[in-house]
């Protein structure tokens, strides 16, 4: 009973937290938002405009700025962050990298491709993706290539033995849930596969519609990046196929106010933003070489160098703000 009451109190507190917005429901509390405002840039998508289209329109406008008006520390201060309230040339460089997507016509152009999963203004697509973090953690314990070789049952196999494979819950309290575990050296079958545990699982009917939508969209994008025809992509959203697509997929968090979100990644694997950006440089190369199991579409298209890390980190820090 005490635990339940404490959980309710925490929920009320978290739900009460809100990012600063103006009277038009547009974010305005971070140095990034202040930079947009100072330069007359759109703070929010137009009516009917998707976050992805808005992000690309914003990138075009920012790229054309001749004399950017930067945000300086004299214009504001953080109450809850140990950093200056500013958006300068380095933050702008990071923003351009963050919003840039790979271009087949300019394959050598730098692009972080972050906006693929983190479009503005929310800096999340609210979808589910596999970034390679699960594979990195599993392979660090069991050896390189272990996650790709791990036997994961098909939908038919999983349905035949739900207690062996699915998560424990009120309906099945004795389920083994090997794929909702923290990997350890003496349990080679333990790993957290994220959305795989929930998708097409009859114990969670309320979650199926949204999961199916996002996984189908991800599967379609993955096929259209390859040699598949459009009709093949449209026909690839059966449950068995989408279960494969759900392997190690986790929901994309917002990147706003990352200073209050560490440790980072779904398993808390990194303590600094620099480590996170360096991780994406690593896994993008692995995805490009076909070494990642079920990578998110677009992950292989990241085109950055180590020298770009500081600029990206500076931009991410410029998304910090104080809650209302």
């Amino acid at each position: 009973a005490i635990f339940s009451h404490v959980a309710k109190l925490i929920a009320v507190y978290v739900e009460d937290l809100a990012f600063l917005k103006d009277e038009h429901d547009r974010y305005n509390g971070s140095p990034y938002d202040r930079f947009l405002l100072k330069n007359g840039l759109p703070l929010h998508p137009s009516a009917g405009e998707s976050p992805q289209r808005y992000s690309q329109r914003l990138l075009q406008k920012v790229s054309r700025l001749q004399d950017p008006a930067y945000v300086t520390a004299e214009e504001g201060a953080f109450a809850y962050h140990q950093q200056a309230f500013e958006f300068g040339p380095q933050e702008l460089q990071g923003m351009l990298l963050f919003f840039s997507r790979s271009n087949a016509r300019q394959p050598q152009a730098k692009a972080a491709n972050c906006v693929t999963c983190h479009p503005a203004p929310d800096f999340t697509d609210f979808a589910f993706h596999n970034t390679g973090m699960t594979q990195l953690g599993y392979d660090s314990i069991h050896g390189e290539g272990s996650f790709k070789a791990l036997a994961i049952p098909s939908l038919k196999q999983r349905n035949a033995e739900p207690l062996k494979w699915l998560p424990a819950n009120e309906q099945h309290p004795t389920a083994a849930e090997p794929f909702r575990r923290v990997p350890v050296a003496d349990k080679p079958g333990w790993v957290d596969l994220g959305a795989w545990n929930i998708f097409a699982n009859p114990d969670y009917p309320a979650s199926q519609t949204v999961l199916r939508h996002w996984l189908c969209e991800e599967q379609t994008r993955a096929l259209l990046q390859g040699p598949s025809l459009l009709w093949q992509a449209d026909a690839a959203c059966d449950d068995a196929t989408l279960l494969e697509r759900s392997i190690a997929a986790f929901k994309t968090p917002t990147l706003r106010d990352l200073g209050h979100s560490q440790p980072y990644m779904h398993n808390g694997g990194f303590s600094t933003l620099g480590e996170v950006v360096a991780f994406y440089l690593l896994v993008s190369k692995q995805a490009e070489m076909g070494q990642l199991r079920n990578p998110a579409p677009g992950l292989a298209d990241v085109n950055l160098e180590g020298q770009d890390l500081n600029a990206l980190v500076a931009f991410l820090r410029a998304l910090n703000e104080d809650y209302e």
Side-chain angles (χ1 to χ4, degrees):
I2 294 177
F3 180 85
S4 177
H5 287 305
V6 170
K8 290 179 180 179
L9 287 172
I10 293 174
V12 169
Y13 167 72
V14 172
E15 289 172 358
D16 191 54
L17 295 174
F19 293 123
L20 290 172
K21 290 186 177 182
D22 63 17
E23 66 275 14
H24 302 291
D25 199 38
R26 301 175 301 189
Y27 295 106
N28 67 352
S30 71
Y32 159 80
D33 298 312
R34 190 74 58 86
F35 174 78
L36 297 188
L37 188 63
K38 287 191 68 172
N39 288 277
L41 297 167
L43 296 172
H44 199 271
S46 301
E49 185 179 33
S50 71
Q52 287 290 358
R53 288 188 178 277
Y54 160 69
S55 296
Q56 293 310 296
R57 178 166 63 93
L58 181 57
L59 173 63
Q60 292 174 359
K61 289 182 175 293
V62 173
S63 300
R64 296 183 186 132
L65 288 176
Q66 296 297 316
D67 188 19
Y70 295 117
V71 178
T72 65
E74 289 73 26
E75 299 175 55
F78 282 112
Y80 305 113
H81 292 286
Q82 297 299 315
Q83 68 179 77
F85 192 95
E86 59 188 12
F87 192 105
Q90 188 176 42
E91 286 79 10
L92 178 57
Q93 179 189 356
M95 178 182 178
L96 293 173
L97 291 171
F98 183 99
F99 279 77
S100 294
R101 303 180 66 173
S102 57
N103 189 331
R105 291 174 296 181
Q106 296 179 300
Q108 301 306 314
K110 286 189 176 182
N113 253 24
C114 306
V115 75
T116 300
C117 301
H118 296 279
D122 296 308
F123 289 97
T124 173
D125 59 4
F126 302 98
F128 297 79
H129 309 288
N130 177 13
T131 64
M133 190 66 195
T134 294
Q135 181 166 322
L136 178 73
Y138 191 85
D139 284 2
S140 69
I141 295 173
H142 300 290
E144 185 175 349
S146 298
F147 185 73
K148 286 197 71 173
L150 178 66
I152 299 175
S154 66
L155 179 63
K156 183 178 180 180
Q157 293 170 323
R158 198 184 73 170
N159 287 348
E161 299 180 280
L163 293 181
K164 181 178 179 180
W165 303 114
L166 290 177
N169 52 35
E170 291 181 0
Q171 295 93 326
H172 301 100
T174 62
E177 59 176 20
F179 296 137
R180 196 169 66 172
R181 301 274 192 172
V182 175
V184 291
D186 61 345
K187 297 286 186 180
W190 282 14
V191 69
D192 191 348
L193 296 185
W196 185 94
N197 291 287
I198 305 301
F199 179 68
N201 183 341
D203 290 346
Y204 301 93
S207 303
Q208 299 311 312
T209 299
V210 65
L211 266 177
R212 183 171 285 103
H213 167 77
W214 289 120
L215 292 172
C216 184
E217 185 172 282
E218 180 104 325
Q219 177 70 1
T220 301
R221 282 201 300 130
L223 290 175
L224 291 178
Q225 285 183 353
S228 300
L229 300 174
L230 182 59
W231 68 266
Q232 292 175 309
D234 288 343
C237 289
D238 60 279
D239 282 0
T241 300
L242 294 185
L243 185 65
E244 291 291 316
R245 175 56 57 187
S246 73
I247 291 175
F250 292 84
K251 191 170 184 178
T252 305
T254 179
L255 299 185
R256 286 186 173 273
D257 204 40
L258 284 173
H260 288 141
S261 301
Q262 72 269 35
Y264 303 109
M265 312 306 285
H266 71 267
N267 60 358
F270 298 125
S271 58
T272 70
L273 292 175
E275 291 174 333
V276 174
V277 176
F279 161 76
Y280 277 109
L281 295 182
L282 170 65
V283 294
S284 66
K285 298 300 181 184
Q286 292 178 330
E288 183 180 359
M289 294 184 290
Q291 297 174 350
L292 281 185
R293 183 174 191 168
N294 186 39
L299 192 57
D301 298 325
V302 175
N303 184 24
L304 294 177
E305 300 174 356
Q307 63 193 39
D308 301 314
L309 186 149
N310 289 337
L312 269 174
V313 169
F315 172 69
L316 293 173
R317 283 170 53 82
L319 296 177
N320 280 338
E321 63 176 276
D322 294 326
Y323 289 106
E324 290 184 324

